[in-house]
Amino acid sequence: MSVLIKGGTVVTAGKTRRADVLCDNGKIVEVGPGIDAPAGADVIDAGGQYVMPGGIDPHTHMQLPFMGTVASEDFYTGTAAGLAGGTTMIIDFVIPNPQQRLMEAYEQWREWAEKAVADYSFHVAVTWWDDTVSDDMETLVRDHGVNSFKHFMAYKGAIMATDEILVNSFMKAVELGAITTVHAENGDLVYRLQQKIYDMGITGPEGHPLSRPPEVEGEAANRAIRIAEVLNCPLYVVHVSCRQALEAITRARNEGQRVFGEVLAGHLLVDDSVYRDPDLERAAAHVMSPPFRSPEHQVALWRGLKAGNLQTTATDHCCFCADQKAAGKDDFRLTPNGTAGIENRMEVLWHHGVSTGKLTLNEFVKVTSTNAAQIFNIYPRKGSVSVGADADLVVWDPAASKTISVKTHKQNVDFNIFEGMTVQGCASHTLSAGKVVFADGDLRVERGAGKYVNRPPFAPYYDALNRQAELATPTKVDR
Ligand code: URQ
Ligand code: ZN
Ligand code: ZN
């Protein structure tokens, strides 16, 4: 079955032009003006609309077992909600328990993800270390298309990676040609600050941000960056939420270090006043880490995105309903951390980014799709509108408006951090593997249609050798 998207303006990371797009057999087969519809083709009239690469959300946690419960959104409902917002691929996380073989956890997550309706891939977390972890990392890169390994520097007593784990894992990643990613919060500081805040009698959700100030994130981001610098290891900092972490990334990038930064749609648009909501259930619904920050950090993050010091946008889609969040009713430390966003990421970024002039059309495509595809080595198969690429596309209607609400969203969670936000510009059609899976408000998904996406390693040793060469030849000093 072929689909012709006719009359639209194709927007990619590098170009904006009037062109039709013909999809057949899951791939893009022709891009250009005046394409005639083959017999039997589905034709989408994209007049007055944009045709862009489907969004890639590089940070989700579908059905994550965490803090004594399981995230309410699973791989079926979560990828469907993403398609309704123009996101056609997720990169989720395999998170082994300490002492659990990475391969065992990987097989478990692969099984959970079989019901996905859009394509998916996995970062694999390194939560402990011994030779078997090293071996499993190698197996995952060599045989399973994993090229990124995650490290939680927070969550002491659970999945926190110590410096020793970071060093061992980063060295292995360089050897394998993989990239490392970090959740950058100093877990020891958080642990003690949580205790201190709680012992002061602050037990409600307002205690959450107090126990994880921006400095706690800035320190960890800088530490991970410095470790990566010494080991010449590419580093991707997830959910950068504050000026301090952004400054650490910006400094490193200005010195030519291979560091990337990710920002969540939520951290760009929601501030820490939510934790002072007199409705404690609503306040608890916003408990995630790093926490939503005071307004000056949103200003810094938008600047970072515009300046190119933050390359990707994500959601950290990790859903817990009110009855789950209630576990922390008397002790904020027990509130499962996580919020939603996969359905609204692109539309809120369009409304607050493109329509306000912060982002050009091409920058919007970069930060919602292409940069993630390039960083995680699946470009131009993903993140492009080019012949031979997967036909994962979104037809974007700049004139359409909607008001975001839990009453109408497709996400399987009873709260929306963008509740009541009216946006102009949203997906009218989404194609996944060349099939129309969302059109005029209706999902047309097929359980299990999503495919696992292999992500090949980068050139192993390349950077390490270059670095050694640099170090070996002392810089000439003109006397
Ligand atoms: O830390 C993460 O990224 C996971 C556990 C989701 N929860 C969160 O608060 N960000
Ligand atoms: Zn995290
Ligand atoms: Zn996360």
Side-chain angles (χ1 to χ4, degrees), residues 59 61 64 66 93 95 150 152 154-155 159 183 185 208 238-239 264 287-290 316-318 320 325 336-339:
H59 192 154
H61 300 280
L64 174 71
F66 190 57
F93 292 83
I95 306 180
K150 172 75 175 288
F152 291 92
Y155 307 126
I159 54 176
H183 171 137
E185 287 183 294
H208 180 69
V238 307
H239 51 43
L264 305 186
V287 167
M288 70 156 303
S289 297
D316 202 354
H317 191 81
C318 187
F320 298 105
K325 291 279 191 179
N337 284 208
T339 54

Side-chain angles (χ1 to χ4, degrees), residues 67-78:
M67 294 180 73
T69 184
V70 178
S72 57
E73 189 88 87
D74 69 23
F75 281 93
Y76 172 65
T77 56

Side-chain angles (χ1 to χ4, degrees), residues 11 153 163 169-170 260 282 288 299 328 332 400 404 434 451 454:
V11 185
M153 299 170 77
D163 286 2
S169 181
F170 283 27
F260 302 107
R282 249 204 323 256
M288 70 156 303
V299 174
F332 67 86
I404 295 170
K451 299 285 175 286
N454 280 298

